Amino acid sequence: MSKYSRVLLAVDLTEDCRHVAEHASILAQLYNAQLHIVHVIEPQSLAYGDEIPMDLSSLHQAIYDQAESFLRELSQGFDIPRTRQHLAFGRIDTEIRRIADEKDIDVIVVGSHGRHGLAILFGSTLNGVLQKATCDVLAVRVGD
Amino acid sequence: MSKYSRVLLAVDLTEDCRHVAEHASILAQLYNAQLHIVHVIEPQSLAYGDEIPMDLSSLHQAIYDQAESFLRELSQGFDIPRTRQHLAFGRIDTEIRRIADEKDIDVIVVGSHGRHGLAILFGSTLNGVLQKATCDVLAVRVGD
């Protein structure tokens, strides 16, 4: 199948992702495709083992609230309905692929940093998505 | 700029690339963009230093002729004019990026193999394009 029916926009919480979102939105419009959006929270708990101090729980709640608020606001700007907004927890690349599989996504749209500081970190996530995704991936250049 | 004006399709000489070409062609049509195509020949001479035995010269000519013939035939099937067909020599990722820069390309479309044998080889080329390209990259899943 060479035409896309379902597009998944994967975002972090930076301002750069608005540029990536614009690309995904235009792509979805031109292909007359459904646009989904996902943000993945990497649990801080991974760094602390099973025992999480109480004050970290409230920190987690704050992180969740902030992520949800950002996701809702961004989605609204691009007319993405609540049923297509996905907030996930875990490894970023694994969760993006899981949502892509569950929602039968044809193409994942992600931001791709260049040579600035986040390149290696993000590159590794992008590679994880690219090498194991069963669908296409559009890397949108941001930053630099 | 969130709309693409110039699309660069990067192909190897496998049958898989027809599927990638279909994607690039549809993308270009939907965005009303120019479609360019590039194939890169990695010079065998790199493996032999400066001195190339005569029989290798004719081998090189045969490789060139085969690549040119394939590129022309593939381009014809997707209405890509001669002025937008590019046959380059050198490192694949470097040459793809060079053509992309020269032609002011907005998005490079490449095939992305999954877990089969070419994954590592191709993954490294794809990474080279991705990490250093100054434009967007669409990786189209092939094979598996």
Side-chain angles (χ1 to χ4, degrees), chain B residues 80-128:
Chain B
I80 304 172
R82 285 289 281 265
T83 52
R84 295 183 202 148
Q85 300 171 20
H86 313 287
L87 195 53
F89 298 84
R91 273 183 59 104
I92 297 178
D93 55 347
T94 309
E95 289 303 304
I96 291 174
R97 291 199 310 267
R98 182 181 62 78
I99 299 282
D101 286 344
E102 278 180 19
K103 303 300 173 190
D104 203 13
I105 294 297
D106 301 304
V107 59
I108 299 167
V109 182
V110 287
S112 169
H113 291 277
R115 279 172 279 260
H116 75 50
L118 282 172
I120 294 169
L121 179 65
F122 194 85
S124 123
T125 296
L126 184 56
N127 287 347

Side-chain angles (χ1 to χ4, degrees), chain A residues 19-37:
Chain A
H19 173 70
V20 183
E22 272 177 33
H23 272 273
S25 174
I26 288 174
L27 186 81
Q29 282 173 45
L30 290 176
Y31 279 85
N32 198 23
Q34 273 188 3
L35 180 57
H36 290 249
I37 187 171

